Coordinates of all heavy atoms in Angstrom, one line a residue:
S1 N 0.8 -1.2 0.0 CA 0.0 0.0 0.0 C 0.9 1.2 0.0 O 2.1 1.2 0.1 CB -1.0 0.0 1.2 OG -0.3 0.2 2.4
D2 N 0.2 2.4 0.0 CA 0.9 3.7 -0.1 C 1.8 3.9 1.1 O 2.9 4.4 1.0 CB -0.1 4.8 -0.3 CG 0.5 6.0 -1.0 OD1 1.4 5.8 -1.8 OD2 0.1 7.1 -0.7
Q3 N 1.3 3.6 2.3 CA 2.0 3.8 3.6 C 3.2 2.9 3.6 O 4.3 3.3 4.1 CB 1.1 3.6 4.8 CG 1.7 3.8 6.1 CD 2.2 5.2 6.3 OE1 1.6 6.2 5.9 NE2 3.4 5.4 6.9
Y4 N 3.1 1.7 3.2 CA 4.2 0.7 3.2 C 5.3 1.3 2.3 O 6.5 1.2 2.6 CB 3.7 -0.6 2.7 CG 4.8 -1.7 2.6 CD1 5.4 -2.3 3.7 CD2 5.4 -2.0 1.4 CE1 6.4 -3.2 3.7 CE2 6.4 -2.9 1.3 CZ 6.9 -3.5 2.4 OH 7.9 -4.4 2.3
F5 N 4.9 1.8 1.1 CA 5.9 2.4 0.2 C 6.6 3.5 0.8 O 7.9 3.6 0.7 CB 5.2 2.8 -1.1 CG 6.1 3.4 -2.1 CD1 7.0 2.6 -2.8 CD2 6.1 4.7 -2.4 CE1 7.9 3.1 -3.8 CE2 7.0 5.3 -3.3 CZ 7.8 4.5 -4.0
R6 N 5.9 4.4 1.5 CA 6.6 5.6 2.1 C 7.5 5.2 3.2 O 8.6 5.7 3.4 CB 5.5 6.6 2.6 CG 4.9 7.4 1.6 CD 4.1 8.6 2.2 NE 2.9 8.1 2.9 CZ 1.7 7.9 2.5 NH1 1.4 8.3 1.2 NH2 0.7 7.5 3.2
D7 N 7.1 4.2 4.0 CA 8.0 3.7 5.1 C 9.2 3.0 4.5 O 10.3 3.2 5.0 CB 7.2 2.6 5.9 CG 6.2 3.3 6.8 OD1 6.2 4.5 7.0 OD2 5.3 2.5 7.4
S8 N 9.1 2.3 3.4 CA 10.2 1.7 2.7 C 11.2 2.7 2.2 O 12.4 2.6 2.4 CB 9.8 0.8 1.6 OG 9.0 -0.3 2.1
I9 N 10.7 3.8 1.6 CA 11.5 4.9 1.1 C 12.2 5.6 2.3 O 13.4 5.9 2.2 CB 10.7 5.9 0.3 CG1 10.1 5.3 -1.0 CG2 11.5 7.2 0.0 CD1 11.1 4.9 -2.0
R10 N 11.5 5.8 3.4 CA 12.1 6.5 4.5 C 13.3 5.6 5.1 O 14.3 6.1 5.4 CB 11.1 6.7 5.6 CG 11.6 7.5 6.8 CD 10.6 7.7 7.9 NE 9.9 6.5 8.4 CZ 10.5 5.6 9.2 NH1 11.7 5.9 9.7 NH2 9.9 4.6 9.6
K11 N 13.0 4.3 5.2 CA 14.0 3.4 5.7 C 15.3 3.3 4.8 O 16.4 3.3 5.3 CB 13.5 2.0 5.9 CG 12.5 1.9 7.1 CD 11.9 0.5 7.2 CE 10.9 0.4 8.3 NZ 10.2 -0.9 8.4
A12 N 15.0 3.3 3.5 CA 16.1 3.3 2.6 C 16.9 4.6 2.7 O 18.2 4.6 2.6 CB 15.6 3.2 1.1
Y13 N 16.3 5.7 2.9 CA 17.0 7.0 3.1 C 17.8 7.0 4.3 O 18.9 7.5 4.3 CB 15.9 8.2 3.1 CG 16.6 9.5 3.4 CD1 17.3 10.2 2.4 CD2 16.5 10.1 4.6 CE1 17.9 11.4 2.6 CE2 17.1 11.3 4.9 CZ 17.8 11.9 3.9 OH 18.4 13.1 4.1
V14 N 17.2 6.5 5.4 CA 18.0 6.4 6.7 C 19.2 5.5 6.5 O 20.3 5.9 6.9 CB 17.1 5.9 7.8 CG1 17.9 5.6 9.1 CG2 16.0 6.9 8.2
L15 N 19.0 4.4 5.8 CA 20.2 3.5 5.6 C 21.2 4.1 4.7 O 22.4 4.0 5.0 CB 19.6 2.2 4.9 CG 20.7 1.1 4.6 CD1 21.4 0.7 5.9 CD2 20.1 -0.1 4.0
E16 N 20.8 4.8 3.7 CA 21.8 5.5 2.8 C 22.6 6.6 3.6 O 23.8 6.7 3.5 CB 21.0 6.2 1.7 CG 22.0 7.0 0.8 CD 21.2 7.7 -0.3 OE1 20.0 8.0 -0.2 OE2 21.8 8.1 -1.3
T17 N 21.9 7.3 4.5 CA 22.5 8.3 5.3 C 23.5 7.7 6.3 O 24.6 8.2 6.5 CB 21.5 9.1 6.1 OG1 20.6 9.7 5.1 CG2 22.1 10.2 6.9
Q18 N 23.1 6.6 6.9 CA 24.0 5.9 7.8 C 25.3 5.4 7.1 O 26.4 5.4 7.6 CB 23.3 4.7 8.5 CG 22.3 5.1 9.5 CD 21.5 4.0 10.0 OE1 21.3 3.0 9.4 NE2 20.9 4.2 11.2
L19 N 25.1 4.8 5.9 CA 26.2 4.3 5.1 C 27.2 5.5 4.7 O 28.4 5.3 4.8 CB 25.8 3.6 3.8 CG 25.1 2.2 4.0 CD1 24.5 1.7 2.7 CD2 26.2 1.3 4.6
K20 N 26.6 6.6 4.3 CA 27.5 7.8 4.0 C 28.3 8.2 5.2 O 29.4 8.6 5.1 CB 26.6 8.9 3.5 CG 26.1 8.7 2.1 CD 25.2 9.9 1.6 CE 24.7 9.6 0.2 NZ 23.8 10.7 -0.2
L21 N 27.6 8.2 6.4 CA 28.3 8.6 7.6 C 29.4 7.6 7.9 O 30.5 8.0 8.3 CB 27.3 8.7 8.7 CG 27.9 9.1 10.1 CD1 28.5 10.5 10.0 CD2 26.8 9.1 11.1
L22 N 29.2 6.3 7.8 CA 30.2 5.3 8.0 C 31.4 5.5 7.1 O 32.5 5.4 7.5 CB 29.5 3.9 7.9 CG 30.5 2.7 8.1 CD1 31.0 2.8 9.5 CD2 29.8 1.4 7.8
I23 N 31.1 5.7 5.8 CA 32.2 5.9 4.8 C 33.0 7.1 5.2 O 34.2 7.1 5.2 CB 31.6 6.0 3.4 CG1 31.1 4.7 3.0 CG2 32.7 6.6 2.5 CD1 30.3 4.7 1.7
A24 N 32.4 8.2 5.6 CA 33.1 9.4 6.0 C 33.9 9.1 7.3 O 35.1 9.6 7.3 CB 32.1 10.6 6.3
E25 N 33.4 8.4 8.2 CA 34.2 8.1 9.4 C 35.4 7.2 9.1 O 36.5 7.4 9.6 CB 33.3 7.3 10.4 CG 32.3 8.2 11.1 CD 31.3 7.5 12.0 OE1 31.3 6.2 11.9 OE2 30.5 8.1 12.7
I26 N 35.2 6.3 8.2 CA 36.3 5.4 7.7 C 37.4 6.2 7.1 O 38.6 6.1 7.3 CB 35.8 4.3 6.8 CG1 35.0 3.3 7.6 CG2 37.0 3.6 6.1 CD1 34.3 2.3 6.8
R27 N 37.0 7.2 6.2 CA 38.0 8.0 5.5 C 38.8 8.9 6.5 O 40.0 9.1 6.4 CB 37.3 8.9 4.5 CG 36.9 8.1 3.3 CD 36.3 8.9 2.2 NE 36.0 8.1 1.0 CZ 35.1 8.4 0.1 NH1 34.5 9.6 0.2 NH2 34.9 7.6 -0.9
I28 N 38.1 9.4 7.5 CA 38.7 10.2 8.6 C 39.7 9.4 9.3 O 40.8 9.8 9.6 CB 37.7 10.9 9.5 CG1 36.9 12.0 8.8 CG2 38.3 11.4 10.7 CD1 35.7 12.5 9.5
K29 N 39.3 8.2 9.7 CA 40.2 7.3 10.4 C 41.5 6.9 9.6 O 42.6 7.0 10.1 CB 39.5 6.0 10.8 CG 40.4 5.1 11.7 CD 39.7 3.8 12.1 CE 40.5 2.9 13.0 NZ 41.9 2.8 12.8
E30 N 41.2 6.6 8.3 CA 42.4 6.4 7.4 C 43.3 7.5 7.3 O 44.5 7.4 7.3 CB 41.9 6.0 6.0 CG 41.3 4.6 5.9 CD 40.7 4.3 4.6 OE1 40.5 5.3 3.8 OE2 40.3 3.2 4.3
A31 N 42.8 8.7 7.2 CA 43.6 9.9 7.1 C 44.4 10.1 8.4 O 45.6 10.5 8.4 CB 42.8 11.2 6.9
M32 N 43.8 9.9 9.6 CA 44.5 10.0 10.9 C 45.5 8.9 11.1 O 46.5 9.2 11.7 CB 43.4 10.0 12.0 CG 42.5 11.2 12.0 SD 41.3 11.1 13.2 CE 42.2 11.3 14.7
D33 N 45.3 7.8 10.5 CA 46.3 6.7 10.6 C 47.4 6.7 9.6 O 48.2 5.8 9.5 CB 45.5 5.3 10.5 CG 44.7 5.1 11.8 OD1 44.9 5.7 12.8 OD2 43.8 4.2 11.7
F34 N 47.4 7.7 8.7 CA 48.3 7.7 7.6 C 49.6 8.2 8.1 O 49.9 9.4 8.2 CB 47.8 8.6 6.5 CG 48.3 8.4 5.2 CD1 48.3 7.1 4.6 CD2 48.9 9.4 4.4 CE1 48.9 6.9 3.3 CE2 49.4 9.2 3.2 CZ 49.4 7.9 2.6
T35 N 50.5 7.2 8.6 CA 51.8 7.6 9.2 C 52.9 7.2 8.3 O 52.8 6.2 7.5 CB 51.9 6.9 10.6 OG1 51.8 5.5 10.4 CG2 50.9 7.4 11.5
C36 N 54.0 7.9 8.4 CA 55.2 7.6 7.7 C 55.8 6.3 8.3 O 55.9 6.1 9.5 CB 56.2 8.7 7.8 SG 57.8 8.4 7.1
L37 N 56.2 5.4 7.4 CA 56.8 4.1 7.8 C 58.2 4.3 8.4 O 58.8 3.4 9.0 CB 56.8 3.1 6.7 CG 55.4 2.7 6.2 CD1 55.5 1.8 5.0 CD2 54.7 1.9 7.4
I38 N 58.9 5.4 8.1 CA 60.2 5.7 8.6 C 60.2 6.3 10.0 O 60.8 5.8 10.9 CB 61.0 6.6 7.6 CG1 61.0 6.0 6.2 CG2 62.4 6.8 8.1 CD1 61.7 4.6 6.1
C39 N 59.5 7.4 10.1 CA 59.6 8.2 11.4 C 58.3 7.9 12.2 O 58.3 8.4 13.4 CB 59.7 9.7 11.1 SG 58.3 10.4 10.3
M40 N 57.3 7.2 11.7 CA 56.1 6.9 12.4 C 55.3 8.1 12.8 O 54.4 8.1 13.7 CB 56.3 6.0 13.6 CG 57.0 4.7 13.2 SD 56.3 3.8 11.9 CE 54.7 3.3 12.7
E41 N 55.5 9.3 12.1 CA 54.7 10.5 12.4 C 53.6 10.6 11.4 O 53.7 10.1 10.3 CB 55.6 11.7 12.3 CG 56.7 11.8 13.3 CD 56.1 12.0 14.7 OE1 55.1 12.8 14.8 OE2 56.7 11.5 15.7
P42 N 52.5 11.3 11.8 CA 51.4 11.5 10.8 C 51.9 12.2 9.6 O 52.8 13.1 9.7 CB 50.4 12.3 11.6 CG 50.7 12.1 13.0 CD 52.2 11.8 13.1
M43 N 51.5 11.9 8.4 CA 51.9 12.5 7.2 C 50.9 13.6 6.7 O 49.8 13.3 6.3 CB 52.1 11.5 6.1 CG 53.3 10.6 6.3 SD 53.8 9.7 4.8 CE 52.6 8.4 4.8
D44 N 51.3 14.8 6.8 CA 50.6 15.9 6.3 C 50.9 16.1 4.8 O 50.1 16.3 3.9 CB 50.8 17.2 7.0 CG 50.3 17.2 8.4 OD1 49.3 16.5 8.7 OD2 50.9 17.8 9.3
V45 N 52.2 16.0 4.5 CA 52.8 16.1 3.2 C 53.5 14.8 3.0 O 54.4 14.5 3.7 CB 53.7 17.3 3.0 CG1 54.3 17.4 1.6 CG2 53.0 18.6 3.4
Y46 N 53.2 14.1 1.9 CA 53.9 12.9 1.6 C 54.2 12.8 0.1 O 53.7 13.5 -0.7 CB 53.0 11.7 2.0 CG 51.7 11.6 1.2 CD1 51.6 10.9 0.1 CD2 50.5 12.2 1.7 CE1 50.5 10.8 -0.6 CE2 49.4 12.1 1.0 CZ 49.3 11.4 -0.2 OH 48.2 11.4 -0.9
L47 N 55.1 11.9 -0.1 CA 55.5 11.6 -1.5 C 55.3 10.1 -1.8 O 55.5 9.3 -0.9 CB 57.0 12.0 -1.7 CG 57.3 13.5 -1.5 CD1 58.7 13.7 -1.2 CD2 56.9 14.2 -2.7
K48 N 55.0 9.8 -3.0 CA 54.8 8.4 -3.4 C 55.7 8.1 -4.6 O 55.4 8.5 -5.7 CB 53.4 8.1 -3.8 CG 53.1 6.7 -4.1 CD 51.6 6.4 -4.3 CE 51.3 6.9 -5.7 NZ 49.9 6.4 -6.1
P49 N 56.9 7.5 -4.3 CA 57.8 7.2 -5.5 C 57.1 6.1 -6.4 O 56.1 5.6 -6.0 CB 59.0 6.6 -4.8 CG 58.7 6.5 -3.3 CD 57.4 7.1 -3.1
P50 N 57.7 5.8 -7.5 CA 57.1 4.8 -8.4 C 56.8 3.5 -7.8 O 55.9 2.8 -8.2 CB 58.2 4.7 -9.5 CG 59.0 5.9 -9.5 CD 59.0 6.4 -8.0
C51 N 57.6 3.1 -6.7 CA 57.3 1.8 -6.1 C 56.1 1.9 -5.1 O 55.7 0.9 -4.6 CB 58.6 1.4 -5.3 SG 59.1 2.6 -4.1
K52 N 55.5 3.1 -5.0 CA 54.3 3.3 -4.2 C 54.4 3.1 -2.7 O 53.5 2.8 -2.0 CB 53.2 2.4 -4.8 CG 52.8 2.8 -6.2 CD 51.7 1.9 -6.7 CE 51.2 2.3 -8.1 NZ 52.2 2.4 -9.1
H53 N 55.6 3.4 -2.2 CA 55.8 3.4 -0.7 C 55.7 4.8 -0.3 O 56.5 5.6 -0.5 CB 57.2 2.8 -0.3 CG 57.3 1.4 -0.6 ND1 58.2 0.8 -1.5 CD2 56.6 0.3 0.0 CE1 58.1 -0.5 -1.5 NE2 57.1 -0.8 -0.6
Y54 N 54.6 5.1 0.4 CA 54.3 6.5 0.9 C 55.3 6.8 2.0 O 55.5 6.0 3.0 CB 52.9 6.6 1.5 CG 51.8 6.6 0.4 CD1 51.2 5.4 0.1 CD2 51.5 7.7 -0.3 CE1 50.2 5.3 -0.8 CE2 50.5 7.7 -1.2 CZ 49.9 6.5 -1.5 OH 48.9 6.4 -2.5
V55 N 56.0 7.9 2.0 CA 56.8 8.4 3.0 C 56.6 9.9 3.2 O 56.3 10.6 2.2 CB 58.3 8.1 2.8 CG1 58.6 6.6 2.9 CG2 58.8 8.7 1.5
C56 N 56.9 10.4 4.3 CA 56.7 11.9 4.5 C 57.8 12.6 3.8 O 58.9 12.1 3.5 CB 56.7 12.3 6.0 SG 58.2 12.1 6.9
A57 N 57.6 13.9 3.5 CA 58.5 14.7 2.7 C 59.9 14.8 3.4 O 60.9 14.6 2.7 CB 58.0 16.0 2.4
P58 N 59.9 15.1 4.7 CA 61.2 15.2 5.4 C 62.1 13.9 5.3 O 63.3 13.9 5.0 CB 60.9 15.5 6.8 CG 59.6 16.2 6.7 CD 58.8 15.5 5.6
C59 N 61.4 12.7 5.5 CA 62.2 11.5 5.4 C 62.6 11.2 4.0 O 63.7 10.7 3.8 CB 61.3 10.3 5.9 SG 61.1 10.3 7.7
F60 N 61.8 11.5 3.0 CA 62.2 11.3 1.7 C 63.4 12.2 1.3 O 64.3 11.7 0.7 CB 61.0 11.7 0.7 CG 61.3 11.4 -0.7 CD1 61.1 10.2 -1.3 CD2 61.7 12.5 -1.5 CE1 61.4 10.0 -2.6 CE2 61.9 12.3 -2.9 CZ 61.8 11.0 -3.4
K61 N 63.4 13.4 1.7 CA 64.5 14.3 1.5 C 65.8 13.8 2.1 O 66.9 13.8 1.5 CB 64.2 15.7 1.9 CG 63.2 16.4 1.0 CD 62.8 17.8 1.6 CE 61.7 18.4 0.8 NZ 61.2 19.6 1.3
K62 N 65.7 13.3 3.4 CA 66.8 12.8 4.1 C 67.4 11.6 3.3 O 68.6 11.4 3.2 CB 66.5 12.4 5.5 CG 66.3 13.6 6.4 CD 65.9 13.0 7.8 CE 65.4 14.2 8.7 NZ 64.8 13.7 10.0
C63 N 66.5 10.7 2.9 CA 66.9 9.5 2.2 C 67.6 9.8 0.8 O 68.7 9.3 0.5 CB 65.7 8.6 1.9 SG 66.1 7.0 1.2
V64 N 67.0 10.8 0.1 CA 67.6 11.1 -1.2 C 69.0 11.8 -1.0 O 69.9 11.5 -1.8 CB 66.7 12.1 -1.9 CG1 67.3 12.8 -3.1 CG2 65.4 11.4 -2.4
H65 N 69.2 12.5 0.0 CA 70.5 13.2 0.3 C 71.4 12.3 1.1 O 72.5 12.8 1.5 CB 70.3 14.5 0.9 CG 69.5 15.5 0.0 ND1 70.0 15.9 -1.2 CD2 68.3 16.0 0.2 CE1 69.1 16.7 -1.7 NE2 68.1 16.8 -1.0
S66 N 71.1 11.1 1.4 CA 71.9 10.2 2.2 C 72.9 9.5 1.3 O 73.0 9.7 0.1 CB 71.1 9.2 2.9 OG 70.6 8.2 2.0
V67 N 73.7 8.6 1.9 CA 74.7 7.8 1.2 C 74.0 6.9 0.1 O 74.6 6.6 -0.9 CB 75.5 6.9 2.2 CG1 76.5 6.0 1.4 CG2 76.2 7.8 3.2
N68 N 72.8 6.5 0.4 CA 72.1 5.6 -0.5 C 71.7 6.3 -1.8 O 71.3 5.6 -2.8 CB 70.8 5.0 0.1 CG 71.2 4.1 1.2 OD1 72.2 3.3 1.1 ND2 70.5 4.1 2.4
G69 N 71.6 7.6 -1.8 CA 71.2 8.4 -3.0 C 69.8 8.3 -3.3 O 68.9 8.2 -2.4
N70 N 69.5 8.3 -4.6 CA 68.1 8.4 -5.1 C 67.4 7.0 -5.1 O 67.2 6.4 -6.1 CB 68.0 9.0 -6.5 CG 68.4 10.4 -6.5 OD1 68.5 11.1 -5.4 ND2 68.7 10.9 -7.7
K71 N 67.1 6.5 -3.9 CA 66.5 5.2 -3.7 C 65.3 5.3 -2.7 O 65.4 6.2 -1.8 CB 67.5 4.2 -3.2 CG 68.6 3.9 -4.3 CD 69.5 2.8 -3.8 CE 70.6 2.6 -4.8 NZ 71.5 1.6 -4.3
C72 N 64.3 4.5 -2.9 CA 63.2 4.4 -2.0 C 63.7 4.1 -0.6 O 64.6 3.3 -0.4 CB 62.2 3.4 -2.4 SG 60.9 3.1 -1.2
C73 N 63.1 4.8 0.4 CA 63.5 4.6 1.8 C 63.1 3.2 2.3 O 63.7 2.7 3.2 CB 62.8 5.6 2.7 SG 63.0 7.3 2.3
I74 N 62.1 2.6 1.7 CA 61.6 1.3 2.1 C 62.3 0.1 1.4 O 62.9 -0.8 2.0 CB 60.1 1.2 1.9 CG1 59.4 2.4 2.5 CG2 59.5 -0.1 2.5 CD1 59.5 2.5 4.0
C75 N 62.2 0.1 0.0 CA 62.7 -1.0 -0.8 C 64.0 -0.8 -1.5 O 64.5 -1.7 -2.2 CB 61.6 -1.5 -1.7 SG 61.3 -0.3 -3.1
R76 N 64.5 0.4 -1.5 CA 65.8 0.8 -2.1 C 65.7 0.8 -3.7 O 66.7 0.7 -4.3 CB 66.9 0.0 -1.6 CG 67.2 0.0 -0.2 CD 67.7 1.4 0.2 NE 68.0 1.4 1.6 CZ 67.7 2.4 2.5 NH1 67.0 3.4 2.0 NH2 68.0 2.3 3.7
E77 N 64.5 0.8 -4.2 CA 64.3 0.9 -5.7 C 64.8 2.3 -6.1 O 64.5 3.2 -5.5 CB 62.9 0.7 -6.1 CG 62.6 0.7 -7.6 CD 61.2 0.4 -7.9 OE1 60.6 -0.4 -7.3 OE2 60.7 1.1 -8.9
P78 N 65.5 2.3 -7.2 CA 66.0 3.6 -7.7 C 64.8 4.6 -8.0 O 63.8 4.2 -8.5 CB 66.8 3.3 -9.0 CG 67.2 1.9 -8.8 CD 66.0 1.2 -8.0
I79 N 65.0 5.8 -7.6 CA 64.1 6.9 -7.9 C 64.8 7.9 -8.8 O 65.8 8.4 -8.4 CB 63.6 7.6 -6.6 CG1 62.9 6.6 -5.7 CG2 62.7 8.8 -6.9 CD1 62.6 7.1 -4.3
Y80 N 64.2 8.2 -9.9 CA 64.7 9.2 -10.8 C 64.0 10.5 -10.7 O 62.8 10.6 -10.9 CB 64.7 8.6 -12.3 CG 65.4 7.3 -12.4 CD1 64.7 6.1 -12.4 CD2 66.8 7.3 -12.4 CE1 65.3 4.9 -12.5 CE2 67.4 6.1 -12.5 CZ 66.7 4.9 -12.6 OH 67.4 3.7 -12.6
L81 N 64.7 11.5 -10.2 CA 64.1 12.8 -9.9 C 64.2 13.7 -11.2 O 65.3 13.7 -11.8 CB 64.9 13.5 -8.8 CG 64.9 12.7 -7.4 CD1 65.7 13.5 -6.4 CD2 63.5 12.6 -6.9
S82 N 63.1 14.3 -11.4 CA 63.2 15.3 -12.6 C 63.3 16.7 -12.0 O 62.9 17.0 -10.9 CB 61.9 15.2 -13.4 OG 60.8 15.4 -12.6
N83 N 63.9 17.6 -12.8 CA 64.2 18.9 -12.3 C 63.0 19.8 -12.5 O 62.3 19.9 -13.4 CB 65.4 19.5 -13.0 CG 66.7 18.8 -12.5 OD1 66.7 18.2 -11.5 ND2 67.7 18.9 -13.3

């Protein structure tokens, strides 16, 4: 009946809203847990070399200017910097 249809629409809307909220909460948690694997600090600014190991900018800069040269801080894959 008409009332059943309206109740179903309302329940679907509530469920959709709850799912959107849950997704937003998960994204916030992921952002808060996004830490550098080198210094274990939260990453506000990060770099992703071709090997896809996220590291914070300060650790990346230290690694590039270290004895190891232009290599990933995690796997030591060569990184080619463009000017």
Side-chain angles (χ1 to χ4, degrees):
S1 73
D2 205 32
Q3 182 61 37
Y4 177 76
F5 180 72
R6 282 193 296 266
D7 287 346
S8 296
I9 295 294
R10 184 182 57 75
K11 288 177 183 177
Y13 176 75
V14 168
L15 181 59
E16 179 185 20
T17 304
Q18 289 173 336
L19 287 172
K20 286 179 181 179
L21 180 61
L22 180 61
I23 290 169
E25 288 174 349
I26 289 170
R27 287 185 179 158
I28 290 169
K29 184 179 181 328
E30 286 174 348
M32 292 175 68
D33 288 345
F34 203 52
T35 57
C36 176
L37 295 173
I38 303 299
C39 66
M40 302 308 292
E41 293 292 324
M43 287 193 283
D44 295 327
V45 177
Y46 62 91
L47 297 159
K48 184 176 81 170
C51 58
K52 297 182 176 48
H53 291 116
Y54 291 95
V55 293
C56 69
C59 285
F60 183 82
K61 288 176 186 173
K62 286 178 191 173
C63 185
V64 168
H65 296 297
S66 73
V67 176
N68 294 318
N70 293 346
K71 294 182 181 177
C72 171
C73 306
I74 308 296
C75 69
R76 302 288 184 229
E77 181 178 320
I79 298 171
Y80 302 101
L81 303 174
S82 60
N83 292 338

